[in-house]
Amino acid sequence: MRVRVATTALGISAALLSLPACSTGTTGSKHQIPSAARTGKPADGVQKPAALSSAALESRLLDQSDLGSGYLTKPERPAQHDDVTVIGCPALSELGGDAATGGTLAFPHKAKADFTYGNSSSELSEELYSDSAKKLSDGVDLIFDAMTGCPTYQVVAGGTPVDVTSQKLPAPHSGGDEQWSQLLTFTAGRRSSVIKQTAIRDGNLLLIVSGSPALVDRHLDKALDKATATS
C-alpha cells in the first residue's frame, strides 16, 4: 500500500522560519546515518476499532492549560508552495519533494496544535491521526524508513539550500504499540535548528510530538495520556 505523505512534522519549511541567529547545538554528529528507533508492530487477527473522527482527535490535543504558563498557541502557517528538491537521498526523492517539507501526514482523520514557549524560538507541535493500525504503521514507516536510507542529505526549498542530518534515538518509555524517535538537525548557512520528533502508535491512534527536544521530553507522556484517555 502506498500512503501519500504530504510531509513530516515540523519539516524544512517550518524549521527555516524558526532558525535562530546562532547554532542551537546537537548531541549527534552531522555524519550519523538518519534513522529512527522503532518498537513493536501492528497485531494481526484482532478486532479493529473504528477510526476516531477529526473532531474527537481535536478534543484530545494538549492545550495551554495542559502545558502551563509561558505557552502560546501558534497561528496556523499558510501552506507553502515553494519548489522543493531533495539532493543526496534517493529514498526521499522517490517520495517527491513534498515529503521533505513541513506539514501533516495524509490520513483522513487528523488534528494538530502548535505552540511557542516564552520569548524564545522554542516550539512544540502535536499531531494526532486515526486509521487502522496497519495504515498508521505503514504511513509512518514510509517517511522514517526513507530518512534512514541516507547518512546526510540536502533540501533546496524556495531556493534556499538546507543541510539535513538525523540521529537515531532510543524509543521512549511512554507506552503504545509502536514507537519511532529521531533528532533532526537543519542547517542553512551559519544557522542551525534542532528538532526532536517522536511518534507513538497506540491501536488506531497515532501521536507525533515534535519541536525543541526539552519541550518534547517534558510533554510527551502528558500528550499520550490525554490522547489515549477513554473517558
Side-chain angles (χ1 to χ4, degrees):
M1 178 196 70
R2 179 178 177 81
V3 178
R4 186 185 69 81
V5 179
T7 51
T8 57
L10 282 186
I12 302 295
S13 296
L16 278 174
L17 294 177
S18 61
L19 282 172
C22 58
S23 173
T24 57
T26 175
T27 58
S29 166
K30 281 195 172 186
H31 299 286
Q32 289 181 295
I33 296 177
S35 58
R38 177 176 184 264
T39 62
K41 61 181 180 179
D44 295 324
V46 298
Q47 184 177 1
K48 298 178 180 179
L52 298 171
S53 68
S54 295
L57 293 175
E58 187 80 27
S59 68
R60 299 183 182 214
L61 289 169
L62 294 175
D63 55 34
Q64 287 176 269
S65 64
D66 298 315
L67 297 172
S69 61
Y71 291 86
L72 296 175
T73 301
K74 185 178 179 180
E76 185 176 355
R77 181 178 291 112
Q80 299 290 323
H81 301 287
D82 293 330
D83 291 335
V84 176
T85 302
V86 179
I87 301 171
C89 186
L92 277 179
S93 295
E94 288 179 5
L95 293 179
D98 282 351
T101 58
T104 57
L105 295 172
F107 295 111
H109 307 288
K110 56 193 174 185
K112 183 178 181 180
D114 295 303
F115 304 92
T116 58
Y117 179 64
N119 296 320
S120 69
S121 60
S122 297
E123 297 186 4
L124 182 72
S125 174
E126 180 188 8
E127 298 167 74
L128 289 176
Y129 302 91
S130 188
D131 209 323
S132 71
K134 177 171 173 50
K135 288 182 178 179
L136 292 175
S137 180
D138 288 348
V140 179
D141 276 344
L142 190 64
I143 282 294
F144 278 91
D145 286 350
M147 291 180 175
T148 63
C150 314
T152 59
Y153 58 96
Q154 185 179 75
V155 173
V156 180
T160 302
V162 183
D163 294 321
V164 185
T165 64
S166 177
Q167 177 190 353
K168 178 179 178 179
L169 297 177
H173 300 289
S174 301
D177 300 311
E178 289 184 280
Q179 301 178 358
W180 301 258
S181 192
Q182 63 181 350
L183 196 69
L184 301 169
T185 302
F186 304 93
T187 303
R190 296 182 178 180
R191 301 178 300 164
S192 294
S193 179
V194 179
I195 292 174
K196 184 173 184 179
Q197 182 179 66
T198 297
I200 299 175
R201 183 187 65 79
D202 188 278
N204 67 340
L205 184 73
L206 174 68
L207 165 71
I208 300 178
V209 180
S210 308
S212 302
L215 299 187
V216 173
D217 291 342
R218 185 182 306 170
H219 297 293
L220 180 63
D221 288 342
K222 189 183 300 182
L224 182 62
D225 288 345
K226 186 171 183 178
T228 57
T230 57
S231 58

